[in-house]
Amino acid sequence: MELWERTSVLDVLDDLLRGSSGGGRIALVAGEAGLGKSSLVTEFARRCGTRARVLWGGCDRMVTPRALGPLHDIGRQTGGLLADRLNAYGAQEEIFTAFLDELTGPRQRPRPVVVVEDAHWADGATLDWLAFLGRRIGRLSALLVVTYRDDEVGVEHPLRGTLASLPSTIVRRVTLPPLSEACVAEQARRMGRDAGTIHRLTGGNPLLVTELLKTDGDAVPGAVQDLILDRLRALPSPARELAQLVAVIPTRADAAIVASASELVDLCIGAGVLVPAGDGVSYRHELLRNAVEDSLSPARRASLHQRALGILSQVTGIDPSRLVHHARLAGDSAAVLRHARTAGADAARQGAHREAAAHYQAAAATADRLPEPQRAELLEAYAVEAHLTGLYKEGLQARQTALAIREALGQPEEAGENLRWISRLAWLTGRATLAWETAARAVTLLEAGPPSRRLAMAYSNQSQLYMLAYKFDQAVTWGERARELAERLGDLDTAIHVTINVNTARLADGDTDAWTAMEQTHERAAAHGFFEHGARALSNLGNIAADELAQYAAAASPIDRVLEYAKRHDLDGWIHHILGTRARIRMERGDWSGALADADAALRRMGLLGVGAVWPLIVRGRIQAAGGHPEALSTLDEAARQAAGIRDAQFVLPVAAARSEYFLWYGDTERAQEEARRGLALALSVSRQPFVIGRIAYALWRAGGTDPLPATIAAPYQMMITGDWDGAAKEWARRGAVFLRAKALSGGDRSAAVEALRILDGLGATVAAEHLRAELRVRGLSRIPRGPRRATAANVAGLTARQVDVLALLADGLSNAQIAQRLTLSAKTVEHHVSAVLQKLGVANRAQAAAAAHRMNLQEGEAGRQGDPR
């Protein structure tokens, strides 16, 4: 097959293959649908000939992706140990090790080329495998080629984190461009077609160019749907029905689907509707298959899915996730229940937690058909995966239902386990009373039976609740009880869990040796496959460093590490917590656009629910308040409502400090004192951490409160209160706290105050800066610099005035060309401005930028001011 304008890219792949003899290489082939990624790698594989052994796998577009889909494809090619491990649904480590053994086989084998197609549809376990392979391929003589649609991989797409984790020194990114106008014109000329029309309709997309040029006559269809549907209508009815059946099967139809219809297959291939694919058939491209599938009526589509389900369920060794896909779209609830439990268990074993949760959720919808013990087991399995993927409310409901079943069946051990899980999920959803009640019930119920791992974990859960409530002595006491029982039973899972509790309590209480212990616990958890524990160890380390120790620079490293770790291990339930922590670290360090991007991403993932929402709301509310956003108070009100449900001081106190700060800036000093005074009373009743007490004590003093302040205030806060602004500023600088340094400098002489204003103006903190300017005038300081012009100061994302202009028009829906015309700029300059705006706002596309503009009140640009009579 002739490939147009792809010679240079094929040469790049060929160079990488040659270079892989001295160590592995990775090629990331990106482009929109229809640009020829599959054709490119197919041609490359052909050119490899005997030089390489090509192992080929693909990801499918299914309701719930199949776990390790590409590896299953490769396992069918290789057979041997890899196939055995996959067919037995072995643990991730076993499967990945078997794959490495396959790559490092006998020396006489040709060099391996591993192709993974359509990685934008990859499941979590496949992303784990890619990350695993990426970290090791540099030591192998192999080439990994990954194709994906870059226009479908946004900022939060799981693939983005995986690609970022690949070693940059061996990665080559290859982006396929559309065909040039000259190329399209040449192909159109050969076929006697109008070049301008072809290019205008296709944009240089090779698939569309090819399909349009294959049509007969002078009339050119306006869309790809017309192309394939016209060919479909020309087929005899039986062949058309076969093509429609193939259209509801992602990627390709197996031999079993078309085994008894060889003549019809030939008709479809001859008409250009289908193409041979392995031992079956497929559409030339997913765009074409989607077009046919979308053209079917809902009833017809469901009927075809039912037919595919009937055929594939008879195939030995079929991936159960494929059966679930067809069962769900056929509306066959009995088949969903039957196959989704198997698919969920397989996905969970392979570390694909998002997919496992989706399968179990589908099965749970009709779980009342099962006998009660099996129904409880299904709900409990679903709750575990829901917890790992952040579906806390759903997991809590599943556990509560399972508890009722276990109690009715008279199963105290299982009931106790459910009570412990309910406690954890209730805390995560902001239901503190339920969390403490069920934690105590779990211990009481399980202590009535023999010593068990469930009892050890119930003890550890109590330790964790006390640790989270700043009751560190009780946390250690319960922790020691859990550790002793876990070690006696050989329960490594609980032993690691409780070690994290105890060391978190020690570190928050000032024992700096616990930092190293937490790092070691993370490594131990990861080495033994307890990936959630590994995430919690690093996450707690970053949280304590930021909150209780105020070491913002030091906190950044473990948080950045754990974010990549959580993405790599498909721990969605942790990602929004980590983003909330990173948001507050970034805010204190002066990266407000990054802080807002993290806060917004966390809230998009979690919504306004419990623990995961509090810190993102605090960060968003403080930045909104500093920049004069009208929604600031309502954001902080919501943060207060969420924190009240949790009750723990670690959430209530930062909200109180943020609200006191808001009322101070907006002139209500009485309310500012009230918020801080109430917070200080709580802090003194539950905490002995100097920075926890110092943060709220400083807020009270700053609001004009004359209350006696406790002696247990951290040094930099104490220095700010006693007037040692220079010492405080230096200490905050050492800790990486840009915003707190500005607050310290604001209490100094003129040069210090000017520096504070420079920081605040640079952050876009217009209200905070104007409040400081008013204070300086009262203090009698002269020659205080004015703030920046409103167009820049009105935003908190660090945009220039011209970027604000561009964003205003972008938010109105104007194209780059229209923006260029309106602002008298070149299209290229506008393109650069738009790119900078997206980067500063931390968003992936124009729609998200427009939404951020309206949300943060950033849309006041020169274009908007032209019609302002003021």
Side-chain angles (χ1 to χ4, degrees), residues 10-48:
L10 287 167
D11 289 343
V12 168
L13 296 178
D14 201 51
D15 289 343
L16 290 172
L17 178 60
R18 285 195 297 270
S20 66
S21 61
R25 299 288 187 271
I26 301 172
L28 304 179
V29 181
E32 67 180 34
L35 283 183
K37 299 180 293 296
S38 293
S39 297
L40 177 79
V41 292
T42 299
E43 176 62 15
F44 173 62
R46 186 191 68 78
R47 293 189 181 192
C48 286

mmCIF file of all heavy atoms in Angstrom, residues 10-48:
data_model
loop_
_atom_site.group_PDB
_atom_site.id
_atom_site.type_symbol
_atom_site.label_atom_id
_atom_site.label_comp_id
_atom_site.label_asym_id
_atom_site.label_seq_id
_atom_site.Cartn_x
_atom_site.Cartn_y
_atom_site.Cartn_z
ATOM 1 N N LEU A 10 8.933 7.030 8.459
ATOM 2 C CA LEU A 10 9.413 5.656 8.386
ATOM 3 C C LEU A 10 10.922 5.594 8.597
ATOM 4 O O LEU A 10 11.439 4.673 9.247
ATOM 5 C CB LEU A 10 9.046 5.038 7.036
ATOM 6 C CG LEU A 10 7.559 4.688 6.851
ATOM 7 C CD1 LEU A 10 7.274 4.384 5.380
ATOM 8 C CD2 LEU A 10 7.171 3.500 7.727
ATOM 9 N N ASP A 11 11.627 6.596 8.086
ATOM 10 C CA ASP A 11 13.079 6.652 8.290
ATOM 11 C C ASP A 11 13.412 6.832 9.769
ATOM 12 O O ASP A 11 14.384 6.254 10.277
ATOM 13 C CB ASP A 11 13.683 7.795 7.475
ATOM 14 C CG ASP A 11 13.674 7.514 5.972
ATOM 15 O OD1 ASP A 11 13.500 6.329 5.593
ATOM 16 O OD2 ASP A 11 13.815 8.472 5.184
ATOM 17 N N VAL A 12 12.616 7.643 10.462
ATOM 18 C CA VAL A 12 12.834 7.837 11.894
ATOM 19 C C VAL A 12 12.674 6.515 12.637
ATOM 20 O O VAL A 12 13.502 6.144 13.480
ATOM 21 C CB VAL A 12 11.846 8.888 12.460
ATOM 22 C CG1 VAL A 12 11.867 8.881 13.993
ATOM 23 C CG2 VAL A 12 12.184 10.272 11.937
ATOM 24 N N LEU A 13 11.606 5.780 12.341
ATOM 25 C CA LEU A 13 11.393 4.488 12.989
ATOM 26 C C LEU A 13 12.504 3.505 12.659
ATOM 27 O O LEU A 13 12.953 2.729 13.525
ATOM 28 C CB LEU A 13 10.032 3.906 12.573
ATOM 29 C CG LEU A 13 8.785 4.697 13.012
ATOM 30 C CD1 LEU A 13 7.527 4.024 12.484
ATOM 31 C CD2 LEU A 13 8.722 4.826 14.528
ATOM 32 N N ASP A 14 12.962 3.557 11.415
ATOM 33 C CA ASP A 14 14.060 2.667 11.014
ATOM 34 C C ASP A 14 15.339 3.006 11.786
ATOM 35 O O ASP A 14 16.062 2.111 12.234
ATOM 36 C CB ASP A 14 14.287 2.784 9.510
ATOM 37 C CG ASP A 14 15.022 1.579 8.950
ATOM 38 O OD1 ASP A 14 14.591 0.445 9.223
ATOM 39 O OD2 ASP A 14 16.040 1.790 8.270
ATOM 40 N N ASP A 15 15.611 4.299 11.960
ATOM 41 C CA ASP A 15 16.786 4.724 12.731
ATOM 42 C C ASP A 15 16.683 4.256 14.182
ATOM 43 O O ASP A 15 17.680 3.821 14.781
ATOM 44 C CB ASP A 15 16.932 6.249 12.697
ATOM 45 C CG ASP A 15 17.375 6.761 11.332
ATOM 46 O OD1 ASP A 15 17.866 5.948 10.521
ATOM 47 O OD2 ASP A 15 17.207 7.970 11.077
ATOM 48 N N LEU A 16 15.484 4.351 14.751
ATOM 49 C CA LEU A 16 15.297 3.914 16.133
ATOM 50 C C LEU A 16 15.503 2.416 16.256
ATOM 51 O O LEU A 16 16.079 1.937 17.244
ATOM 52 C CB LEU A 16 13.893 4.290 16.618
ATOM 53 C CG LEU A 16 13.632 5.782 16.844
ATOM 54 C CD1 LEU A 16 12.160 6.022 17.140
ATOM 55 C CD2 LEU A 16 14.484 6.308 17.989
ATOM 56 N N LEU A 17 15.065 1.643 15.259
ATOM 57 C CA LEU A 17 15.268 0.205 15.305
ATOM 58 C C LEU A 17 16.758 -0.118 15.261
ATOM 59 O O LEU A 17 17.243 -0.958 16.027
ATOM 60 C CB LEU A 17 14.534 -0.469 14.144
ATOM 61 C CG LEU A 17 14.709 -1.994 14.041
ATOM 62 C CD1 LEU A 17 14.199 -2.683 15.303
ATOM 63 C CD2 LEU A 17 13.999 -2.534 12.808
ATOM 64 N N ARG A 18 17.469 0.564 14.369
ATOM 65 C CA ARG A 18 18.922 0.323 14.312
ATOM 66 C C ARG A 18 19.593 0.730 15.618
ATOM 67 O O ARG A 18 20.470 0.046 16.123
ATOM 68 C CB ARG A 18 19.535 1.092 13.145
ATOM 69 C CG ARG A 18 19.259 0.474 11.780
ATOM 70 C CD ARG A 18 20.192 1.059 10.720
ATOM 71 N NE ARG A 18 19.961 2.487 10.546
ATOM 72 C CZ ARG A 18 19.093 2.999 9.676
ATOM 73 N NH1 ARG A 18 18.382 2.192 8.910
ATOM 74 N NH2 ARG A 18 18.937 4.297 9.572
ATOM 75 N N GLY A 19 19.157 1.856 16.170
ATOM 76 C CA GLY A 19 19.768 2.335 17.404
ATOM 77 C C GLY A 19 19.459 1.489 18.612
ATOM 78 O O GLY A 19 20.179 1.527 19.610
ATOM 79 N N SER A 20 18.376 0.683 18.545
ATOM 80 C CA SER A 20 17.983 -0.111 19.709
ATOM 81 C C SER A 20 18.948 -1.251 19.991
ATOM 82 O O SER A 20 18.857 -1.890 21.037
ATOM 83 C CB SER A 20 16.569 -0.676 19.513
ATOM 84 O OG SER A 20 16.536 -1.607 18.449
ATOM 85 N N SER A 21 19.879 -1.506 19.077
ATOM 86 C CA SER A 21 20.871 -2.553 19.343
ATOM 87 C C SER A 21 21.759 -2.186 20.513
ATOM 88 O O SER A 21 22.286 -3.060 21.203
ATOM 89 C CB SER A 21 21.728 -2.798 18.101
ATOM 90 O OG SER A 21 22.423 -1.616 17.737
ATOM 91 N N GLY A 22 21.913 -0.891 20.758
ATOM 92 C CA GLY A 22 22.721 -0.449 21.889
ATOM 93 C C GLY A 22 21.887 -0.100 23.107
ATOM 94 O O GLY A 22 22.384 0.507 24.047
ATOM 95 N N GLY A 23 20.652 -0.486 23.127
ATOM 96 C CA GLY A 23 19.727 -0.157 24.223
ATOM 97 C C GLY A 23 18.384 0.235 23.642
ATOM 98 O O GLY A 23 18.305 0.834 22.572
ATOM 99 N N GLY A 24 17.328 -0.120 24.350
ATOM 100 C CA GLY A 24 15.982 0.050 23.819
ATOM 101 C C GLY A 24 15.605 1.486 23.504
ATOM 102 O O GLY A 24 16.192 2.441 24.017
ATOM 103 N N ARG A 25 14.636 1.634 22.616
ATOM 104 C CA ARG A 25 14.116 2.940 22.212
ATOM 105 C C ARG A 25 12.583 2.898 22.257
ATOM 106 O O ARG A 25 11.975 1.837 22.191
ATOM 107 C CB ARG A 25 14.570 3.308 20.790
ATOM 108 C CG ARG A 25 16.074 3.421 20.618
ATOM 109 C CD ARG A 25 16.621 4.675 21.307
ATOM 110 N NE ARG A 25 18.035 4.887 21.005
ATOM 111 C CZ ARG A 25 19.037 4.374 21.710
ATOM 112 N NH1 ARG A 25 18.761 3.580 22.756
ATOM 113 N NH2 ARG A 25 20.286 4.623 21.386
ATOM 114 N N ILE A 26 11.983 4.088 22.350
ATOM 115 C CA ILE A 26 10.522 4.212 22.376
ATOM 116 C C ILE A 26 10.111 5.253 21.355
ATOM 117 O O ILE A 26 10.653 6.370 21.331
ATOM 118 C CB ILE A 26 10.017 4.640 23.770
ATOM 119 C CG1 ILE A 26 10.441 3.632 24.839
ATOM 120 C CG2 ILE A 26 8.493 4.804 23.771
ATOM 121 C CD1 ILE A 26 10.140 4.072 26.256
ATOM 122 N N ALA A 27 9.162 4.905 20.500
ATOM 123 C CA ALA A 27 8.595 5.843 19.526
ATOM 124 C C ALA A 27 7.133 6.074 19.886
ATOM 125 O O ALA A 27 6.354 5.123 19.995
ATOM 126 C CB ALA A 27 8.710 5.292 18.104
ATOM 127 N N LEU A 28 6.764 7.332 20.095
ATOM 128 C CA LEU A 28 5.379 7.707 20.380
ATOM 129 C C LEU A 28 4.812 8.367 19.137
ATOM 130 O O LEU A 28 5.191 9.473 18.779
ATOM 131 C CB LEU A 28 5.326 8.670 21.571
ATOM 132 C CG LEU A 28 5.971 8.169 22.873
ATOM 133 C CD1 LEU A 28 5.867 9.240 23.957
ATOM 134 C CD2 LEU A 28 5.320 6.869 23.330
ATOM 135 N N VAL A 29 3.919 7.659 18.474
ATOM 136 C CA VAL A 29 3.358 8.115 17.206
ATOM 137 C C VAL A 29 1.971 8.689 17.475
ATOM 138 O O VAL A 29 1.049 7.955 17.845
ATOM 139 C CB VAL A 29 3.287 6.976 16.178
ATOM 140 C CG1 VAL A 29 2.724 7.480 14.860
ATOM 141 C CG2 VAL A 29 4.675 6.351 15.979
ATOM 142 N N ALA A 30 1.826 9.999 17.285
ATOM 143 C CA ALA A 30 0.589 10.674 17.648
ATOM 144 C C ALA A 30 -0.055 11.326 16.433
ATOM 145 O O ALA A 30 0.617 11.697 15.471
ATOM 146 C CB ALA A 30 0.863 11.736 18.719
ATOM 147 N N GLY A 31 -1.361 11.472 16.493
ATOM 148 C CA GLY A 31 -2.092 12.147 15.427
ATOM 149 C C GLY A 31 -3.582 11.905 15.589
ATOM 150 O O GLY A 31 -4.000 10.971 16.283
ATOM 151 N N GLU A 32 -4.377 12.728 14.963
ATOM 152 C CA GLU A 32 -5.821 12.557 15.052
ATOM 153 C C GLU A 32 -6.265 11.329 14.278
ATOM 154 O O GLU A 32 -5.493 10.735 13.512
ATOM 155 C CB GLU A 32 -6.533 13.799 14.526
ATOM 156 C CG GLU A 32 -6.355 14.006 13.033
ATOM 157 C CD GLU A 32 -7.063 15.248 12.524
ATOM 158 O OE1 GLU A 32 -7.140 16.235 13.260
ATOM 159 O OE2 GLU A 32 -7.523 15.210 11.367
ATOM 160 N N ALA A 33 -7.516 10.934 14.469
ATOM 161 C CA ALA A 33 -8.061 9.766 13.773
ATOM 162 C C ALA A 33 -7.979 9.962 12.264
ATOM 163 O O ALA A 33 -8.300 11.027 11.742
ATOM 164 C CB ALA A 33 -9.515 9.552 14.179
ATOM 165 N N GLY A 34 -7.525 8.911 11.566
ATOM 166 C CA GLY A 34 -7.491 8.940 10.113
ATOM 167 C C GLY A 34 -6.207 9.456 9.509
ATOM 168 O O GLY A 34 -6.067 9.495 8.283
ATOM 169 N N LEU A 35 -5.220 9.850 10.332
ATOM 170 C CA LEU A 35 -3.958 10.364 9.784
ATOM 171 C C LEU A 35 -3.012 9.253 9.362
ATOM 172 O O LEU A 35 -1.946 9.532 8.832
ATOM 173 C CB LEU A 35 -3.267 11.294 10.788
ATOM 174 C CG LEU A 35 -3.852 12.697 10.905
ATOM 175 C CD1 LEU A 35 -3.044 13.527 11.879
ATOM 176 C CD2 LEU A 35 -3.880 13.384 9.543
ATOM 177 N N GLY A 36 -3.369 8.016 9.621
ATOM 178 C CA GLY A 36 -2.574 6.910 9.096
ATOM 179 C C GLY A 36 -1.591 6.307 10.069
ATOM 180 O O GLY A 36 -0.570 5.744 9.649
ATOM 181 N N LYS A 37 -1.881 6.359 11.380
ATOM 182 C CA LYS A 37 -0.968 5.774 12.358
ATOM 183 C C LYS A 37 -0.851 4.263 12.164
ATOM 184 O O LYS A 37 0.251 3.710 12.167
ATOM 185 C CB LYS A 37 -1.444 6.103 13.774
ATOM 186 C CG LYS A 37 -1.496 7.593 14.076
ATOM 187 C CD LYS A 37 -1.977 7.881 15.484
ATOM 188 C CE LYS A 37 -3.423 7.502 15.703
ATOM 189 N NZ LYS A 37 -4.362 8.278 14.869
ATOM 190 N N SER A 38 -1.999 3.595 11.990
ATOM 191 C CA SER A 38 -1.968 2.140 11.795
ATOM 192 C C SER A 38 -1.296 1.766 10.484
ATOM 193 O O SER A 38 -0.505 0.807 10.428
ATOM 194 C CB SER A 38 -3.397 1.581 11.826
ATOM 195 O OG SER A 38 -3.960 1.724 13.106
ATOM 196 N N SER A 39 -1.592 2.512 9.442
ATOM 197 C CA SER A 39 -0.946 2.225 8.147
ATOM 198 C C SER A 39 0.555 2.417 8.239
ATOM 199 O O SER A 39 1.331 1.641 7.660
ATOM 200 C CB SER A 39 -1.521 3.156 7.076
ATOM 201 O OG SER A 39 -2.903 2.929 6.899
ATOM 202 N N LEU A 40 0.966 3.428 8.990
ATOM 203 C CA LEU A 40 2.395 3.697 9.149
ATOM 204 C C LEU A 40 3.096 2.532 9.829
ATOM 205 O O LEU A 40 4.125 2.034 9.338
ATOM 206 C CB LEU A 40 2.592 4.981 9.954
ATOM 207 C CG LEU A 40 4.050 5.333 10.256
ATOM 208 C CD1 LEU A 40 4.713 5.958 9.043
ATOM 209 C CD2 LEU A 40 4.144 6.272 11.451
ATOM 210 N N VAL A 41 2.568 2.089 10.985
ATOM 211 C CA VAL A 41 3.267 1.023 11.706
ATOM 212 C C VAL A 41 3.147 -0.304 10.966
ATOM 213 O O VAL A 41 4.041 -1.154 11.058
ATOM 214 C CB VAL A 41 2.751 0.901 13.158
ATOM 215 C CG1 VAL A 41 3.133 2.131 13.968
ATOM 216 C CG2 VAL A 41 1.260 0.681 13.218
ATOM 217 N N THR A 42 2.071 -0.501 10.212
ATOM 218 C CA THR A 42 1.955 -1.716 9.398
ATOM 219 C C THR A 42 3.042 -1.738 8.328
ATOM 220 O O THR A 42 3.693 -2.776 8.099
ATOM 221 C CB THR A 42 0.572 -1.795 8.743
ATOM 222 O OG1 THR A 42 -0.432 -1.835 9.765
ATOM 223 C CG2 THR A 42 0.449 -3.037 7.871
ATOM 224 N N GLU A 43 3.237 -0.613 7.654
ATOM 225 C CA GLU A 43 4.286 -0.530 6.639
ATOM 226 C C GLU A 43 5.666 -0.677 7.266
ATOM 227 O O GLU A 43 6.555 -1.333 6.706
ATOM 228 C CB GLU A 43 4.175 0.799 5.892
ATOM 229 C CG GLU A 43 5.273 1.058 4.869
ATOM 230 C CD GLU A 43 5.312 0.040 3.736
ATOM 231 O OE1 GLU A 43 4.314 -0.715 3.569
ATOM 232 O OE2 GLU A 43 6.349 -0.011 3.020
ATOM 233 N N PHE A 44 5.855 -0.092 8.445
ATOM 234 C CA PHE A 44 7.139 -0.234 9.129
ATOM 235 C C PHE A 44 7.407 -1.693 9.469
ATOM 236 O O PHE A 44 8.519 -2.202 9.275
ATOM 237 C CB PHE A 44 7.146 0.612 10.399
ATOM 238 C CG PHE A 44 8.355 0.403 11.273
ATOM 239 C CD1 PHE A 44 9.628 0.707 10.806
ATOM 240 C CD2 PHE A 44 8.224 -0.127 12.546
ATOM 241 C CE1 PHE A 44 10.749 0.502 11.603
ATOM 242 C CE2 PHE A 44 9.323 -0.333 13.349
ATOM 243 C CZ PHE A 44 10.592 -0.029 12.873
ATOM 244 N N ALA A 45 6.383 -2.396 9.951
ATOM 245 C CA ALA A 45 6.549 -3.819 10.273
ATOM 246 C C ALA A 45 6.916 -4.615 9.032
ATOM 247 O O ALA A 45 7.748 -5.531 9.080
ATOM 248 C CB ALA A 45 5.270 -4.356 10.912
ATOM 249 N N ARG A 46 6.296 -4.263 7.897
ATOM 250 C CA ARG A 46 6.611 -4.967 6.651
ATOM 251 C C ARG A 46 8.062 -4.736 6.271
ATOM 252 O O ARG A 46 8.773 -5.669 5.860
ATOM 253 C CB ARG A 46 5.687 -4.485 5.538
ATOM 254 C CG ARG A 46 5.824 -5.259 4.227
ATOM 255 C CD ARG A 46 5.092 -4.594 3.097
ATOM 256 N NE ARG A 46 5.700 -3.329 2.727
ATOM 257 C CZ ARG A 46 6.815 -3.206 1.982
ATOM 258 N NH1 ARG A 46 7.449 -4.290 1.561
ATOM 259 N NH2 ARG A 46 7.299 -2.018 1.683
ATOM 260 N N ARG A 47 8.513 -3.478 6.409
ATOM 261 C CA ARG A 47 9.899 -3.161 6.034
ATOM 262 C C ARG A 47 10.915 -3.809 6.965
ATOM 263 O O ARG A 47 12.065 -4.012 6.572
ATOM 264 C CB ARG A 47 10.097 -1.647 6.047
ATOM 265 C CG ARG A 47 9.316 -0.914 4.967
ATOM 266 C CD ARG A 47 9.744 0.542 4.901
ATOM 267 N NE ARG A 47 8.997 1.277 3.890
ATOM 268 C CZ ARG A 47 9.325 2.491 3.470
ATOM 269 N NH1 ARG A 47 10.394 3.113 3.968
ATOM 270 N NH2 ARG A 47 8.601 3.100 2.548
ATOM 271 N N CYS A 48 10.491 -4.089 8.215
ATOM 272 C CA CYS A 48 11.434 -4.720 9.146
ATOM 273 C C CYS A 48 11.888 -6.085 8.629
ATOM 274 O O CYS A 48 13.041 -6.487 8.844
ATOM 275 C CB CYS A 48 10.788 -4.889 10.522
ATOM 276 S SG CYS A 48 10.618 -3.360 11.446
#
